[in-house]
């Protein structure tokens, strides 16, 4: 019992911190700093050397963003000589303020420009910037370079020793932690799904919670896919894991969509059979939830018993509950392929359930990364010029505020441009930085005043703040800055330079730095939020068109893994669009019309990504050459969707720079939007029917997207499959049997006057309220 509760507690901890990445980063900083300080203190080094060693150990966690331990070691190996060179330059040039400023600006430009080379380029820039900053902060002189250089090398060695030599960060352990995160978040989704199925008045609240759970589950899947793409050790095995993880995610997402649809029509008070059926289905979902829970070896047997007893009640249940039962069966099959505790699939488990694929080719990591290389390089030169211009203003203004602490303004300027692109993103990051600095100054002053007489306590509090700085999620950046300012207060108290005036100066320098950053982003080659989001939207559509092309090719070549990789690229493009739209969708945005339109656009893209993800998963289980008629229809539908995507690319590329004055749409969540799709399916669909359904639904989402972009959909000559009105028809007919032009005014036509299922589904996508009534 104790072991089971401990394992459950550890799983909950792992679900909060995917793969324990933040914990590993925090422990690398804290243990590395503690080990460095211990070694340097035992060697009798000066306070400056101690500061250099502890600071460098902390910087390693700032600079390393690689997922794979091997890549982290490579980054550390390259960062050590670069840090020594930047530290030497900063110490030698410190007596010459003008030259120091010029060299610092050149270093900043090169460091920002290096971000085009990905995570390692970003890490090299952080190492060089922080080492030069360290020379200014400590007031290092050239004669101190041997001592400080030795301290830097000791810090790098300590970080490697405490995190890599004991095996804390190995490839297998990281992957196991990521899979544990996936399992924990999958259990959370199933728990809320079971509760929603039997909920009464709280159905809307549980639906919102379920949507957030799905987002967290999807984030865990993206981490696993990123890690597998970065690892590239055993491509065949990694590709198999990738397929099964993707299939499990798609299955649980489909189950939640069907459950929300069923929850929208609660049973009558006197309908005891319907209520009993809901309770039985909820019980089966709970049993599935315990399949990956430690200490429950009887779960599969229990689920088998539940499944055998289920048909006694379910034949009298509604059609929506019958759909939920099929979703449960699909998820159970996917979880069985995943293996106990989410372990790697074995030949007897996974391979036995996979169709014969003699032509399957393992994915290429190089091919997977080529699609994003150009997007990663875009904008680095522009941002390097922006950061350099803002840093020049910060150096000038910082010297006017304080000739001794001018570098704080430069640091603030540097930070607000990390992972930002548009002026709106820089402004939002600046507000977070300033708010965290003000709160941290108040917190640090009180804590340093109370613990000032006790040196060891100050050191412990400093390490605690360092841990909080790295363990705090990056989306709560104000809290990260809060811990940074608190850590600085403890450090100043240890160096006997702490005072209220210093903290006030810290706030002033930070305000100056973020102001210079916002000013430079608005004046030096500016890019608006609208332009940045449109560029990301075009990238999303380009990736979607490539996925549709891969779908048609996979029907003959069986390139299953490449199709899943294309779906992963689409998810990454969606995350980039979400990030670019954050200044618009943020609750602090006072322009409610623009905010709701951006949120509505994001919901449509999320719905399209769901169908694309499902499309990739279903295509991986189609027998080769099984049905020539369905192959022809799928290719035709995919080509039609590609043409519509090309049209949308033209629309997004030529949108006017100013926001439109169209009516504010009703904002809902993608889960509600998907569950609002009309159901006309009868019976259990085949994989071919499911594949065609998702392509048609994706096509209809593109129609709604064209309407959301304030432009009419492409007119006519495009036919819509009869599957577009629902999931699958019981007696499918050829696509050309139900031809109907897509009118630009379809959204304004009453649903009762429509004859084309596509028109109705487009209205469903743009108005979930009407969809719920269908």
């Amino acid at each position: 019992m104790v072991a089971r509760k401990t394992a459950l507690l550890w799983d909950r901890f792992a679900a909060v911190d995917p793969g324990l990445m933040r914990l590993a980063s925090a422990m690398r900083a804290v243990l590395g700093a503690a080990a460095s300080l211990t070694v340097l203190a035992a060697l009798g080094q000066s306070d400056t050397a101690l500061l250099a060693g502890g600071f460098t150990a902390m910087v390693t966690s700032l600079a390393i963003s690689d997922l794979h331990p091997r890549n982290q070691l490579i980054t550390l190996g390259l960062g050590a000589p670069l840090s020594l060179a930047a530290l030497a330059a900063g110490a030698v040039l410190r007596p010459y303020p003008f030259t120091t400023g010029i060299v610092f600006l050149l270093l900043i430009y090169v460091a920002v420009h290096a971000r085009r080379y990905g995570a390692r380029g970003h890490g090299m820039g952080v190492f060089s910037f922080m080492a030069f900053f360290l020379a200014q902060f400590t007031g290092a002189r050239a004669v101190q370079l041997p001592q400080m250089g030795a301290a830097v090398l000791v810090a790098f060695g300590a970080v490697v020793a405490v995190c890599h030599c004991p095996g804390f960060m190995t490839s297998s352990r990281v992957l196991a932690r990521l899979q544990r995160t996936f399992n924990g978040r999958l259990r959370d989704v199933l728990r809320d799904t079971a509760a929603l199925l039997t909920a009464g008045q709280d159905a809307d609240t549980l639906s919102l919670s379920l949507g957030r759970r799905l987002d967290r589950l999807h984030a865990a899947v993206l981490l696993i896919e990123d890690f597998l793409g970065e690892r590239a050790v055993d491509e065949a095995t990694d590709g198999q894991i990738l397929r099964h993880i993707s299939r499990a995610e798609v299955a649980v997402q489909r189950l939640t969509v069907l459950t929300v649809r069923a929850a929208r029509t609660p049973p009558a008070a006197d309908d005891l059979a319907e209520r009993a059926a809901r309770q039985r289905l909820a019980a089966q979902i709970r049993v599935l939830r315990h399949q990956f829970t430690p200490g429950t070896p009887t779960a599969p047997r229990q689920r088998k018993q539940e499944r055998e007893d289920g048909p006694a009640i379910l034949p009298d249940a509604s059609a929506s509950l019958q759909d939920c039962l099929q979703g449960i069966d699909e998820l159970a099959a996917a979880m069985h392929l995943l293996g106990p505790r989410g372990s790697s699939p074995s030949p007897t488990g996974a391979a036995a359930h996979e169709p014969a694929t003699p032509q399957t080719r393992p994915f290429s990591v190089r091919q997977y990364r080529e699609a994003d290389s150009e997007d990663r390089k875009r904008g680095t030169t522009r941002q390097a010029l922006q950061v350099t211009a803002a840093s020049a203003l910060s150096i000038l203004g910082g010297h006017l505020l304080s000739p001794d602490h001018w570098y704080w303004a430069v640091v603030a300027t540097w930070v607000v441009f990390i992972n930002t692109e548009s002026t709106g993103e820089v402004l939002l990051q600046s507000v977070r930085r300033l708010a965290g600095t003000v709160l941290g100054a108040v917190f640090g002053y009180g804590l340093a005043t109370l613990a000032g007489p006790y040196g060891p306590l100050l050191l412990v509090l400093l390490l605690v703040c360092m841990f909080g700085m790295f363990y705090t999620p990056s989306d709560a950046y104000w809290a990260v800055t809060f811990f940074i300012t608190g850590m600085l207060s403890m450090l100043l108290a240890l160096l006997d330079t702490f005072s209220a005036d210093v903290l006030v100066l810290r706030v002033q320098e930070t305000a100056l730095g973020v102001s210079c950053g916002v000013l430079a982003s608005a004046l030096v080659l500016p890019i608006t939020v609208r332009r940045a989001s449109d560029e990301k939207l075009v990238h999303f559509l380009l990736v979607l068109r490539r996925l549709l092309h891969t779908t048609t090719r996979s029907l003959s070549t069986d390139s299953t893994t490449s199709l899943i990789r294309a779906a992963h690229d689409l998810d990454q493009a969606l995350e980039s669009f979400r990030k670019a739209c954050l200044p618009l969708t943020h609750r602090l945005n006072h322009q409610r019309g623009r905010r709701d339109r951006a949120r509505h656009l994001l919901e449509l893209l999320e719905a399209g990504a769901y169908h694309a993800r499902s499309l990739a998963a279903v295509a991986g289980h189609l027998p080769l050459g099984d049905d020539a008629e369905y192959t022809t229809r799928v290719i035709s539908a995919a080509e039609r969707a590609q043409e519509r995507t090309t049209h949308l690319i033209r629309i997004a590329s030529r949108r006017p720079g100013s926001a439109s004055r169209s009516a504010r749409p009703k904002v809902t969540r993608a889960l509600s939007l998907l569950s609002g799709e009309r159901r006309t399916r009868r019976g259990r669909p085949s994989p071919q029917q499911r594949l065609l359904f998702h392509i048609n639904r994706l096509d209809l989402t593109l129609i709604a997207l064209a309407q959301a972009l304030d432009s009419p959909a492409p007119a006519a000559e495009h036919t819509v499959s009869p599957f577009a009105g629902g999931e699958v028809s019981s007696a499918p007919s050829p696509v050309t049997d139900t031809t109907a032009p897509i009118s630009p005014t379809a959204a304004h036509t009453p649903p009762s006057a429509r004859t084309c299922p596509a028109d109705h589904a487009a209205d469903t996508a743009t108005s979930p309220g009407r969809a719920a009534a269908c």
Side-chain angles (χ1 to χ4, degrees), residues 105 135 184 267 288 348 387 461 464 534 659:
L105 291 177
L288 274 182
T348 57
V387 179
L461 292 175
V464 170
D534 282 351

Side-chain angles (χ1 to χ4, degrees), residues 226-551:
D226 286 340
F227 179 80
L228 293 178
E230 186 177 309
R231 184 170 69 159
V233 175
D234 187 352
E235 293 187 344
T237 302
D238 288 355
Q240 200 174 47
I241 296 175
L242 182 64
R243 288 192 295 271
H244 297 322
I245 289 289
S246 301
R247 182 180 176 186
E249 182 196 15
V250 167
V252 74
Q253 285 179 330
R254 180 169 182 262
L255 176 60
T256 56
V257 169
L258 296 174
T259 302
V260 172
R261 183 180 299 171
R264 287 183 168 182
T265 55
D270 56 347
D271 193 349
L272 300 181
E274 180 77 4
R275 291 182 177 275
R278 288 174 180 260
Q279 293 291 342
R280 182 59 58 88
L281 286 178
Q284 292 189 15
I285 294 175
R286 293 189 186 99
V287 172
L288 274 182
R289 177 175 178 264
H290 292 298
Q291 180 170 333
F292 291 152
T293 302
T296 56
T298 60
R301 200 163 53 245
Q302 183 180 358
R303 190 201 170 273
K304 180 180 179 181
Q305 184 64 34
E306 291 283 348
R307 183 66 184 88
E308 290 175 353
D309 296 341
I313 297 178
L314 292 185
D316 298 330
S318 62
S320 60
L321 293 188
Q322 298 286 351
D323 292 342
C324 291
L325 178 61
Q326 296 177 12
I328 292 174
D329 290 340
E330 181 179 336
L331 179 59
M335 293 172 69
H336 176 68
L337 290 181
L338 214 60
R341 304 284 297 158
S343 59
S344 302
S346 61
T348 57
H353 292 77
E354 288 290 324
T357 55
Q359 304 178 25
T360 298
R361 297 172 295 178
F363 66 85
S364 169
V365 176
R366 177 179 298 179
Q367 181 181 6
Y368 163 63
R369 292 187 177 275
E370 280 177 356
D372 293 332
S373 59
E374 292 300 324
D375 183 66
R376 189 192 307 134
K377 294 178 180 180
R378 293 174 59 194
T380 53
T381 302
R382 175 188 56 81
Q383 193 174 68
L385 292 173
Q386 287 182 334
V387 179
T388 304
S391 299
L393 295 176
S394 300
I395 292 175
L396 293 176
H399 274 288
L400 294 177
L401 281 178
S402 172
D404 296 327
H405 300 287
W406 57 270
Y407 42 78
W408 281 342
V410 183
V411 171
T413 300
W414 164 275
V415 169
V416 297
F417 281 97
I418 294 179
N419 295 327
T420 58
E421 185 172 352
S422 64
T423 303
E425 289 181 271
V426 173
L427 177 61
L428 185 59
Q429 187 88 320
S430 299
V431 172
R432 292 170 172 173
R433 177 80 182 187
L434 187 58
T437 301
V438 173
L439 295 176
V442 177
F443 166 76
Y445 179 80
L447 207 58
T449 301
L450 294 176
Y454 311 101
L457 180 59
L458 285 172
L459 180 60
V460 171
L461 292 175
L462 185 150
L463 295 177
V464 170
C465 289
M466 185 184 297
F467 181 88
M469 166 188 171
F470 289 101
Y471 192 70
T472 303
S474 58
D475 53 358
Y477 182 68
W478 67 269
V480 176
T481 308
F482 171 84
F483 284 114
I484 291 175
T485 308
M487 182 178 62
L488 177 64
S489 302
M490 303 302 109
L491 178 60
L492 294 176
L494 284 171
L495 298 175
D496 293 328
T497 59
F498 174 79
S499 67
D501 294 337
V502 174
L503 289 182
V504 172
L505 180 61
R506 162 78 174 180
V507 174
Q508 292 174 342
E509 295 278 2
T510 301
L512 173 65
V514 299
S515 300
C516 292
V518 173
L519 184 63
S521 67
L523 297 180
V524 181
L525 302 176
I527 179 171
T528 62
V529 178
R530 175 70 176 268
R531 178 184 167 190
S533 60
D534 282 351
E535 289 179 355
K536 298 302 181 182
L537 176 60
V538 170
H539 177 62
F540 176 90
L541 294 172
L542 288 172
V543 177
L544 177 59
R545 187 171 62 181
R546 188 171 69 245
L547 183 144
L548 291 169
H549 176 70
T550 306
T551 301

Side-chain angles (χ1 to χ4, degrees), residues 218 249-250 253 540 544 547 566-575 578 602-617 670 674 694 697-698 701-702:
H218 184 58
E249 182 196 15
V250 167
Q253 285 179 330
F540 176 90
L544 177 59
L547 183 144
H568 175 64
D569 290 346
L570 189 70
D571 288 331
Q572 294 287 13
L574 176 60
E575 292 304 313
R578 189 195 312 276
L602 185 59
E603 290 160 3
L604 292 176
L605 294 185
E606 288 176 348
Y610 162 79
H611 287 297
R613 210 176 299 126
S614 303
L615 174 67
L674 290 167
H694 287 297
R697 282 299 185 188
L698 185 58
T701 304
L702 294 175

